[in-house]
Amino acid sequence: MPQFLRVAFAALLMLLITAVPCHAQTGTHVFARDFAETRTAELSFFLPDDVSYNPAIPTPKEVLGFNIGEWHLRHDLMVRYMEALAQASDRITLEFYGRSHELRPLLLLTITHPENHGRIDAIREQHVQLSDPQRSGDLDLSQMPAVVWLGYSVHGNEHSGVNAGVLAAYYYAAAEGEAVETLLRESVILLDPSFNPDGQDRFVSWVNSHRNLNRLTADPANREFNEPWPRSRTNHYWFDLNRDWMPLQHPESRYRLEMFHHWKPNVLTDHHEMGTNATYFFQPGVPSRNNPLTPERNYELTGKLAEFHAAYLDEIGQLYYSRETFDDFYVGKGSTYPDFFGTIGILFEQASSRGHIQESQHGLLSFPETILNQFLTSLSTVAGTHALREDFHAFKRDYFRSALEEARRDEVKAWVFGAEHDPARMYHLSDILLRHQLSFYQLNRDITVRGQTFRAGRDFIIPTEQPNYRMVRSLFETRTTFTDSLFYDVSTWSLPHSFDLQHAELNSRMFGSNLLGEQVQAETLAFPTGTVHGGQARFAYIFEWDGYYAPRALNDLLRHDIRAKVANREFTLPAEGGDRSFARGSVMIPVGIQDACSPDELYAMIQEAARENAVDFYAVNTGLARSGIDLGSPSFSSLRKPEVLLLVGDGVNVSEAGETWFQLDQRYNVPVSMVETDRFDRLDLSRYNTIVLPNGNYNRISASGRENLSRWLNSGGVIIAYKSAINWLVRHDLASAEFKTVSSSRAAGEMIAYEDAGQLRGAQVIGGSIFRTRADLSHPLLYGYRNPELSVFRNSTLFLAPPQNAHAAPLRYTRQPLVSGYVSPQNLQTLPGTASLMVSGSGQGRVVMFADNPNFRAFWFGTNKLFANSLFFGHTISGVTIER
């Protein structure tokens, strides 16, 4: 092995030396072109030369028509090559395990010795037994193959991983020799070459279409290295899939996780890229930022693997680092999620060429070099896991045993939780918990905890004493104390709060096995259905706004030109089985004023809306209320079909724009027009009644565009704005709001150590924490909520000062707002009393301002309704706004 690495590095040095005179004579770009011409990146550049290669196994060039690294590899070509390998090699089986949003196949190669393929099911079943404390005691660890998952390029524009995966697949298929045979007999390699095929192809299309065909350039300003917005890091909906391992809101993540738990590997790699001027990173990362629920032994084994990575990279003189910058805290990342299931997750970060070759502070960085490093650490991971396989097996076995021991010592024995009026929200939470293989049950009897009553058959209970205790704890706990103030991602993700559930902890005195009813099973979990109570109505149909998919039900009716009204006050009507009271926000569908359909057709639509959206409708045959408002009251507001414009483009936060798009398209069936900000000035706004401005910078919109927007707003339009978009609106007199600033706790002129500057700045960032707000439930923006206390997610330091108009801010932070996560003392002191949600008026129009993102990563089901209310009810708000 050292010999092949020395040869490769020597070849690289010779190429650099040969190119220097050209550089001296004619400049950097000529040097870059000559260097790229000389560097052919033949297969021998990458591969170890201490083994022979089976000529019957097709090389990448034989199938693709070009060498790896010469072009960026399209997903369909990658699939074609993997199919050719599987057909040619008895070491490989290929499984297509799902499809992406854009229907590209997701694939997994199982690579091992042919003898193992003959008993692969038995190997897998025995390996999975390591995760079962009741069955793992009799296993002979010395006879069990190591199981390694090699995973690549969850970010589409970090493309060295995909190409390294192709090389690794070829190597393990074709390499011959006693050492390779032994490794394959004692290992099962699961190779997933592309976690994000949609982003991959978006990136490949860009860089290949801007590649010079004869003379490459390394100029960082070159168009090849500068993708347009939204770029290709993300998936179809512009979500970062490396944040979706826990939320599981996208098919790529859901299918992959199913395969992960099918195998429960010893080690899983997550190959990424970072800035071009960086070097190479591999874990363990920053020790003080590790998740406290992860056992120390995990990091010890990660450190042992790091020695293998270092040895491989040392041989080619590649610079690297291992204990800085990156953390292992957020359970939704690909390198951290495995840690909660007895698997060692390993993050790799390679300096990116972002194209084919680019200048860097370390000299020219070519695409083949980036691939080589990722390929080498793929080999080092497999070699290290094989060498330490008994240690990894013992760790996995002991991980689940120790989890049960910790659970028995934990004062919290269970959580009870439920959403009384919203079975759809509970369905989505149940689906997430089951995909993480957590055991939970229907509540067997009623129980009251701290004044909250939970009902048998309706609510649920999840005990902590189970093998996946640490994952249960991670998803349900709240945490406000930390050993470090810097976080690479969010600092909390408590599901009871993100789903806005009624919930409570149970200690040993409260908990008993008699609370556990029927266990919830994936096989029997089904999306709930609604019904129409009272049959076909003569006068009207009414449904309440509690249900998660009530907005979708309403939208589907509105798009069929059905007339609907929302109640702004409570009322009680005679109904089947007795009088029924309806809350503010209840939606009425009158029968007699419909032009688009007959009463029979309307009834059929209502039945479908109830069935598809888990919403109950109530048929009423009179408009005269027993109490409260009658159905013809002016306290009902007419509703309009949302016609939505979503502003996107340079300056707009990609993730938050994507989250809005996803919510509109996937959750509400609302068609959305997405328009770049630099086209806004030429846009006819008359076809829209709602414009959404995600967090971002809108300076590309000119004065004439702002005037056009102001006219549209005054005529009755609704603007929904997030975070920094609010600043832009206020600055240009399109909305009224004041901001509260954070006071410094340091004395003026105080000296601060240079080495502490980054830490102090970073500690003032709110990377992602949960806070408590108080809601005005009578406000249209809070329709559908029954508890005035609402947990919101915040990841910004924009503070909306409380307005003089007391009704204009219906959602405000409480006096003691912190629920879970990290926040600096200065930010925590500033937050109480500020507005999370505020409304400003202009003529007939309304501006709804969100200081926080209600659609964060698509798993904040509890605050999604705030966005829905602004969408469907924003135009109905009257008399309670700040007039600009």
Side-chain angles (χ1 to χ4, degrees):
M1 184 67 70
Q3 178 61 26
F4 103 84
L5 293 172
R6 282 193 291 271
V7 170
F9 187 48
L12 170 61
L13 289 177
M14 285 301 296
L15 289 167
L16 288 169
I17 293 170
T18 303
V20 165
C22 295
H23 178 219
Q25 294 172 16
T26 57
T28 300
H29 300 313
V30 173
F31 167 72
R33 289 193 292 267
D34 287 351
F35 174 75
E37 284 184 325
T38 307
R39 171 75 67 77
T40 59
E42 295 288 345
L43 199 54
S44 59
F45 172 74
F46 302 103
L47 295 179
D49 61 0
D50 58 351
V51 298
S52 59
Y53 294 89
N54 184 349
I57 303 300
T59 66
K61 186 174 184 179
E62 289 171 342
V63 175
L64 304 173
F66 56 88
N67 289 308
I68 289 294
E70 185 178 353
W71 290 85
H72 283 261
L73 186 58
R74 292 200 324 257
H75 186 263
D76 63 306
L77 293 179
M78 182 268 291
V79 172
R80 182 191 304 176
Y81 180 69
M82 294 308 195
E83 289 177 321
L85 274 186
Q87 185 174 4
S89 173
D90 58 2
R91 296 175 177 177
I92 295 178
T93 59
L94 175 61
E95 180 176 0
F96 293 95
Y97 65 86
R99 289 187 178 273
S100 68
H101 276 300
E102 296 176 14
L103 302 182
R104 291 182 176 85
L106 306 166
L107 57 154
L108 188 70
L109 285 72
T110 302
I111 308 173
T112 189
H113 195 277
E115 295 174 0
N116 289 342
H117 276 295
R119 58 186 188 94
I120 198 68
D121 289 338
I123 290 174
R124 187 196 65 80
E125 290 173 5
Q126 185 184 54
H127 183 80
V128 170
Q129 286 182 30
L130 289 169
S131 304
D132 186 347
Q134 295 182 344
R135 298 194 298 160
S136 60
D138 297 330
L139 295 174
D140 184 354
L141 305 186
S142 66
Q143 299 302 308
M144 295 174 60
V147 179
V148 185
W149 184 305
L150 301 178
Y152 302 95
S153 299
V154 71
H155 297 143
N157 58 1
E158 299 176 4
H159 203 224
S160 59
V162 170
N163 291 265
V166 169
L167 286 175
Y170 171 77
Y171 173 79
Y172 289 116
E176 297 178 317
E178 183 178 346
V180 175
E181 293 287 322
T182 298
L183 182 144
L184 290 176
R185 276 195 181 91
E186 298 174 350
S187 304
V188 175
I189 303 165
L190 307 169
L191 194 150
D192 192 336
S194 178
F195 282 169
N196 180 9
D198 295 349
Q200 173 190 341
D201 270 9
R202 198 156 72 240
F203 175 70
V204 169
S205 176
W206 178 263
V207 293
N208 282 349
S209 64
H210 293 92
R211 179 192 191 276
N212 291 340
L213 299 183
N214 293 321
R215 301 275 181 175
L216 297 179
T217 178
D219 179 3
N222 185 32
R223 185 171 169 83
E224 178 185 356
F225 312 122
N226 296 279
E227 293 179 84
W229 194 100
R231 294 167 285 279
S232 49
R233 173 186 177 90
T234 53
N235 76 340
H236 172 81
Y237 282 105
W238 308 333
F239 276 68
D240 184 339
L241 291 178
N242 196 41
R243 305 297 185 268
D244 194 47
W245 284 72
M246 181 276 288
L248 296 176
Q249 297 304 304
H250 299 275
E252 300 92 335
S253 307
R254 295 160 75 89
Y255 288 127
R256 182 173 63 251
L257 204 68
E258 184 176 346
M259 297 303 295
F260 170 84
H261 284 298
H262 184 67
W263 270 101
K264 300 186 187 299
N266 295 110
V267 172
L268 182 145
T269 68
D270 190 18
H271 291 260
H272 289 251
E273 292 182 357
M274 51 184 168
T276 303
N277 288 317
T279 58
Y280 196 87
F281 169 84
F282 49 83
Q283 284 181 306
V286 182
S288 63
R289 300 179 200 166
N290 293 330
N291 194 295
L293 293 173
T294 305
E296 185 62 30
R297 181 62 173 158
N298 177 295
Y299 302 113
E300 293 173 1
L301 288 173
T302 302
K304 288 188 175 183
L305 270 183
E307 295 174 10
F308 285 82
H309 311 321
Y312 276 62
L313 295 176
D314 284 345
E315 289 293 337
I316 61 169
Q318 171 62 44
L319 295 174
Y320 56 81
Y321 63 103
S322 183
R323 291 179 174 84
E324 300 174 68
T325 308
F326 297 96
D327 69 17
D328 219 353
F329 188 82
Y330 171 50
V331 73
K333 292 190 302 184
S335 56
T336 305
Y337 179 86
D339 296 345
F340 282 77
F341 295 91
T343 299
I344 307 294
I346 304 294
L347 170 68
F348 295 109
E349 293 273 358
Q350 162 65 45
S352 180
S353 64
R354 282 291 185 268
H356 293 84
I357 190 168
Q358 189 176 167
E359 298 165 7
S360 82
Q361 67 178 6
H362 300 110
L364 289 172
L365 179 64
S366 72
F367 187 38
E369 289 171 86
T370 68
I371 297 169
L372 174 62
N373 292 337
Q374 303 276 38
F375 172 62
L376 291 180
T377 52
S378 301
L379 300 187
S380 65
T381 299
V382 174
T385 308
H386 171 252
L388 300 168
R389 61 191 179 282
E390 289 191 50
D391 289 337
F392 282 106
H393 290 326
F395 169 71
K396 182 173 282 288
R397 178 197 62 198
D398 297 342
Y399 176 90
F400 292 97
R401 291 179 178 177
S402 65
L404 286 178
E405 294 171 0
E406 288 184 24
R408 293 180 185 119
R409 295 193 300 266
D410 196 332
E411 294 180 0
V412 179
K413 297 304 178 185
W415 276 271
V416 285
F417 55 95
E420 178 182 357
H421 301 282
D422 193 356
R425 200 160 15 118
M426 286 308 306
Y427 165 82
H428 284 295
L429 177 62
S430 298
D431 179 62
I432 291 173
L433 299 179
L434 289 170
R435 289 180 182 276
H436 293 310
Q437 300 205 336
L438 306 182
S439 299
F440 65 107
Y441 305 80
Q442 288 187 336
L443 191 61
N444 193 46
R445 63 176 176 84
D446 293 357
I447 183 174
T448 299
V449 185
R450 300 180 187 89
Q452 299 183 90
T453 299
F454 298 87
R455 300 295 184 188
R458 183 195 72 192
D459 296 327
F460 299 86
I461 180 169
I462 185 165
T464 55
E465 190 172 325
Q466 56 179 294
N468 290 326
Y469 155 76
R470 294 186 179 99
M471 190 63 177
V472 173
R473 182 95 215 184
S474 175
L475 297 184
F476 279 79
E477 73 172 1
T478 56
R479 183 182 294 271
T480 57
T481 57
F482 303 89
T483 58
D484 202 310
S485 59
L486 298 184
F487 297 87
Y488 190 71
D489 201 79
V490 299
S491 61
T492 186
W493 46 89
S494 175
L495 292 186
H497 291 278
S498 70
F499 275 77
D500 187 32
L501 303 180
Q502 179 187 17
H503 65 280
E505 297 177 354
L506 301 183
N507 58 29
S508 57
R509 180 180 57 81
M510 304 171 186
F511 176 72
S513 59
N514 63 339
L515 290 175
L516 304 182
E518 183 178 352
Q519 184 172 352
V520 181
Q521 304 283 354
E523 296 78 15
T524 56
L525 181 68
F527 185 78
T529 59
T531 189
V532 182
H533 298 273
Q536 186 168 350
R538 295 191 304 273
F539 194 86
Y541 300 93
I542 300 173
F543 67 96
E544 294 189 292
W545 198 245
D546 302 78
Y548 184 80
Y549 286 106
R552 188 171 70 187
L554 173 60
N555 182 69
D556 289 347
L557 293 170
L558 293 173
R559 301 211 80 77
H560 283 93
D561 295 324
I562 301 301
R563 292 190 174 96
K565 290 174 172 284
V566 63
N568 297 305
R569 290 171 56 190
E570 300 91 344
F571 58 98
T572 300
L573 292 172
E576 184 182 44
D579 292 351
R580 178 172 179 81
S581 296
F582 294 92
R584 289 183 179 90
S586 295
V587 174
M588 175 181 61
I589 312 294
V591 174
I593 64 171
Q594 304 298 335
D595 298 331
C597 62
S598 69
D600 289 345
E601 291 170 330
L602 177 62
Y603 181 43
M605 291 182 194
I606 296 294
Q607 288 177 306
E608 182 180 6
R611 182 174 59 252
E612 297 296 324
N613 297 293
V615 173
D616 285 346
F617 284 72
Y618 295 86
V620 295
N621 297 314
T622 178
L624 185 63
R626 298 283 197 203
S627 63
I629 58 174
D630 296 324
L631 298 193
S633 167
S635 292
F636 275 92
S637 298
S638 295
L639 298 176
R640 65 190 188 187
K641 175 177 60 179
E643 300 290 356
V644 181
L645 170 65
L646 174 62
L647 283 181
V648 299
D650 283 342
V652 177
N653 183 287
V654 172
S655 295
E656 296 194 20
E659 288 156 1
T660 303
W661 177 21
F662 181 88
Q663 194 69 21
L664 291 166
D665 186 39
Q666 287 286 314
R667 301 275 172 77
Y668 300 150
N669 287 346
V670 172
V672 54
S673 298
M674 295 180 286
V675 177
E676 303 273 335
T677 54
D678 57 8
R679 292 186 55 219
F680 185 83
D681 294 349
R682 305 185 298 277
L683 206 60
D684 177 9
L685 299 183
S686 63
R687 66 179 299 157
Y688 313 108
N689 55 37
T690 306
I691 298 177
V692 182
L693 277 66
N695 182 32
N697 180 337
Y698 293 87
N699 292 333
R700 287 174 175 263
I701 298 176
S702 69
S704 63
R706 296 194 298 270
E707 291 173 5
N708 189 24
L709 180 60
S710 180
R711 287 192 296 270
W712 172 88
L713 177 64
N714 285 322
S715 67
V718 172
I719 295 175
I720 303 172
Y722 297 95
K723 302 186 208 176
S724 59
I726 301 171
N727 297 80
W728 181 82
L729 290 169
V730 171
R731 190 165 62 249
H732 294 290
D733 200 29
L734 290 163
S736 294
E738 294 183 358
F739 305 96
K740 193 173 180 180
T741 57
V742 180
S743 60
S744 174
S745 62
R746 297 187 300 274
E750 178 184 353
M751 179 179 289
I752 301 172
Y754 178 77
E755 65 178 356
D756 295 333
Q759 181 81 19
L760 290 171
R761 284 194 302 270
Q764 297 308 312
V765 173
I766 303 178
S769 298
I770 300 171
F771 297 93
R772 185 178 296 107
T773 61
R774 188 80 179 175
D776 172 8
L777 298 183
S778 69
H779 196 285
L781 294 178
L782 275 300
Y783 287 169
Y785 289 96
R786 300 196 180 216
N787 185 349
E789 190 173 282
L790 178 65
S791 294
V792 301
F793 179 86
R794 165 170 281 254
N795 60 354
S796 79
T797 53
L798 180 142
F799 301 100
L800 287 174
Q804 290 185 350
N805 184 333
H807 305 291
L811 191 66
R812 306 187 191 202
Y813 288 97
T814 62
R815 292 182 178 180
Q816 295 180 319
L818 181 60
V819 173
S820 186
Y822 172 80
V823 60
S824 71
Q826 296 90 341
N827 285 326
L828 187 57
Q829 184 179 7
T830 306
L831 199 57
T834 61
S836 176
L837 180 60
M838 199 155 72
V839 186
S840 173
S842 181
Q844 299 179 56
R846 301 291 177 259
V847 180
V848 181
M849 295 173 280
F850 284 90
D852 308 306
N853 177 8
N855 302 322
F856 181 69
R857 290 183 185 168
F859 81 97
W860 268 81
F861 284 78
T863 54
N864 288 159
K865 198 179 293 292
L866 297 174
F867 173 68
N869 291 351
S870 65
L871 186 70
F872 289 96
F873 304 147
H875 69 285
T876 72
I877 302 170
S878 61
V880 292
T881 62
I882 308 170
E883 297 294 335
R884 69 179 181 86

